[in-house]
Amino acid sequence: MIELDSVASLPAGPAVYALYGGRGRGLHVAYVGSARDLRIRLTQHLIRRDSSITTGASVVTLHVDAVTEARWWEHADFSDETHMLAAELVAFDVLDPVLRSRGQPQGAAQSLAHDERFRGDMARVFTEDATGRLRIPSLRDALERIDALEERVRALERALERALGDHTRS
């Protein structure tokens, strides 16, 4: 499994993804969706917060500040939107999220999602390890990282001052 700590590092391809809340034993699937471009979609949810599920344009809203991680699954068939939407329907059943993206897709995606072979193949995909995981730091994590960065900057400034002082004395 790929482990990331930055939305900018996410792949830009198609994927089915899950947003999780809680930590440890309290970890739960809060939302499942699919994306033609995972990086853009998760940026919409987590950074810009302008997706319908985060803005309150939907009947229910995702509380983004409570999201602790995102996992995603890639598959060769996801480059075809019908396959990806059908896989998302299977992911709803396997991962059992609190919230689900959009209304039920119709037509070919719905039919494919009911195909026993496809359903079994995709169920295996979503019960195995995800392709990757994005850890979303808590406010405390972020503040600790900021504190550590500030200390490193102070140390660099002191070292620069010493170096410049030594240079001016020579």
Side-chain angles (χ1 to χ4, degrees):
M1 180 184 309
I2 300 167
E3 297 277 343
L4 302 176
D5 60 5
S6 164
V7 173
S9 302
L10 287 166
V16 173
Y17 62 92
L19 301 178
Y20 290 77
R23 296 200 186 273
R25 291 184 150 196
L27 190 69
H28 62 277
V29 179
Y31 180 78
V32 167
S34 62
R36 283 184 220 120
D37 184 315
L38 182 66
R39 184 181 316 134
I40 288 173
R41 189 64 176 147
L42 290 187
T43 296
Q44 278 185 301
H45 291 322
L46 304 172
I47 309 291
R48 294 191 342 231
R49 299 180 183 205
D50 63 359
S51 63
S52 62
I53 195 73
T54 60
T55 61
S58 297
V59 174
V60 292
T61 302
L62 178 69
H63 181 51
V64 179
D65 291 330
V67 175
T68 57
E69 71 180 62
R71 294 181 190 176
W72 72 92
W73 293 263
E74 296 172 352
H75 192 278
D77 289 345
F78 293 172
S79 59
D80 174 74
E81 188 156 1
T82 298
H83 280 80
M84 185 172 61
L85 292 174
E88 180 185 42
L89 292 173
V90 176
F92 290 159
D93 293 336
V94 172
L95 301 172
D96 193 27
V98 175
L99 301 172
R100 299 169 183 224
S101 72
R102 77 178 69 80
Q104 292 288 326
Q106 301 301 310
Q110 190 70 252
S111 296
L112 185 57
H114 286 94
D115 177 84
E116 283 186 42
R117 183 168 181 230
F118 177 83
R119 195 166 188 73
D121 290 346
M122 288 299 110
R124 277 188 292 286
V125 166
F126 298 117
T127 54
E128 294 174 356
D129 277 346
T131 303
R133 180 177 91 129
L134 171 68
R135 184 176 174 272
I136 300 166
S138 67
L139 178 58
R140 181 180 178 166
D141 295 336
L143 291 173
E144 287 173 358
R145 288 173 73 180
I146 290 168
D147 188 49
L149 285 171
E150 287 175 340
E151 181 53 42
R152 287 174 61 193
V153 168
R154 283 191 293 275
L156 287 170
E157 288 171 339
R158 287 190 300 270
L160 181 60
E161 286 173 7
R162 281 192 306 273
L164 288 175
D166 291 346
H167 180 67
T168 57
R169 285 188 285 248
S170 4

